[in-house]
Amino acid sequence: MNIKDSVIIITGASSGIGEATASRLAAKGAKVVLTARREERLNELRDKITSEGGKALVVPADVTKKSDVENIINKTLDTYGTIDVLVNNAGLMPLSYVDKLKTDEWEKMVDVNIKGVLNGVAAVLPTLIEKKGGHIINISSSAAHKYFPGGAVYCSTKAAIKMFCEGLRQELAPEYGINVTSIEPGAVDTELLDTITDKDILEKLAPMKEMDMLESEDIAHAIEYALTQPARANINDVYIMPTEQKG
């Protein structure tokens, strides 16, 4: 796939992996559609991209709301006439031990990490099926492979996305030429850790801040790699860990 002039929707684009991915792909000539709840942050990113000669469209949205996600698709088609890639990046990670019963946080993770991805795929799929091509990239996690303390619900949501990706690949790639990739990073230095309210978890994770974690740009580079392979080559999974991370 040639990134130049491709139309790429990126959810969770207001910070972290989404922001880095938008910047990187826009610099390669993509027309990026920036979506998240924080409109001010999106506008700042759009202004930065356009000042550097790139093209960016802002469509604020909450991925847990079907109507919001459908609006992203409609605004993108109205502006650019097509869609080539969806990067489902929006996610939450409020880790907690199960016995703390932080059920509101559990539900938020399910709504954003799973339902948000499902909403994005459902909304974009008619366009990709009609054009018989495109790419869906879902941000899963190394947590999809193994449980870690405090991650019972989070790991479950990311395991669900990993399996959803495999189902999508098998159903969509051979029939419609739509490639599907699961990106599965280890520890990345983003705002995800800021969503944790369980003090015991925060204490346990404190040593991680001394580790040389992955940067958002590392994941953006992995996404670019998956997108730039020949159409015949589907990069199913990208499992990327910090060199210093053991588990």
Side-chain angles (χ1 to χ4, degrees):
M1 173 180 167
N2 186 358
I3 289 178
K4 183 175 172 55
D5 293 325
S6 295
V7 178
I8 301 177
I9 297 172
I10 303 168
T11 72
S14 60
S15 65
I17 293 171
E19 180 180 1
T21 299
S23 295
R24 185 176 187 90
L25 298 181
K28 299 290 183 178
K31 302 169 184 175
V32 293
V33 180
L34 313 173
T35 183
R37 291 177 299 171
R38 296 180 289 182
E39 185 173 2
E40 183 177 346
R41 294 283 293 271
L42 295 176
N43 288 337
E44 290 173 359
L45 177 58
R46 177 201 57 202
D47 293 346
K48 178 177 180 293
I49 288 172
T50 56
S51 70
E52 295 171 352
K55 296 180 179 179
L57 171 69
V58 167
V59 186
D62 180 341
V63 296
T64 68
K65 298 178 180 178
K66 291 182 180 180
S67 58
D68 278 19
V69 178
E70 290 166 357
N71 184 54
I72 298 169
I73 302 304
N74 292 334
K75 287 287 182 65
T76 301
L77 292 174
D78 288 345
T79 303
Y80 295 125
T82 190
I83 300 168
D84 298 296
V85 179
L86 170 65
V87 180
N88 275 313
N89 165 70
L92 297 174
M93 193 183 71
L95 304 175
S96 65
Y97 291 111
V98 174
D99 60 8
K100 300 293 182 69
L101 293 176
K102 290 181 175 286
T103 55
D104 288 345
E105 293 182 356
W106 299 355
E107 291 178 10
K108 286 180 182 178
M109 277 190 282
V110 170
D111 286 345
V112 176
N113 296 1
I114 299 179
K115 292 181 182 179
V117 171
L118 299 181
N119 289 340
V121 170
V124 80
L125 207 50
T127 299
L128 300 187
I129 287 176
E130 182 179 0
K131 69 185 293 180
K132 285 193 172 294
H135 205 131
I136 296 171
I137 291 184
N138 296 323
I139 306 300
S140 179
S141 168
S142 63
H145 296 262
K146 52 185 177 292
Y147 161 81
F148 55 83
V153 178
Y154 178 74
C155 294
S156 297
T157 65
K158 292 305 184 178
I161 294 309
K162 176 176 171 58
M163 184 54 67
F164 182 52
C165 283
E166 180 58 16
L168 288 175
R169 185 190 68 80
Q170 292 198 31
E171 293 185 21
L172 300 178
E175 183 73 17
Y176 302 108
I178 300 169
N179 284 0
V180 182
T181 301
S182 173
I183 305 289
E184 299 156 15
V188 185
D189 188 10
T190 69
E191 294 179 357
L192 273 184
L193 295 176
D194 297 341
T195 65
I196 300 173
T197 62
D198 187 326
K199 294 181 180 179
D200 292 332
I201 293 294
L202 289 171
E203 184 177 338
K204 186 176 182 65
L205 292 179
M208 181 180 292
K209 295 182 178 180
E210 304 301 319
M211 180 179 69
D212 189 10
M213 291 189 282
L214 296 169
E215 299 290 339
S216 296
E217 288 75 15
D218 300 326
I219 314 308
H221 183 77
I223 290 170
E224 180 188 359
Y225 168 76
L227 288 176
T228 53
Q229 300 309 299
R232 64 179 179 272
N234 188 106
I235 304 300
N236 300 355
D237 305 275
V238 178
Y239 188 75
I240 176 171
M241 298 290 288
T243 302
E244 295 181 8
Q245 187 172 348
K246 294 181 180 179

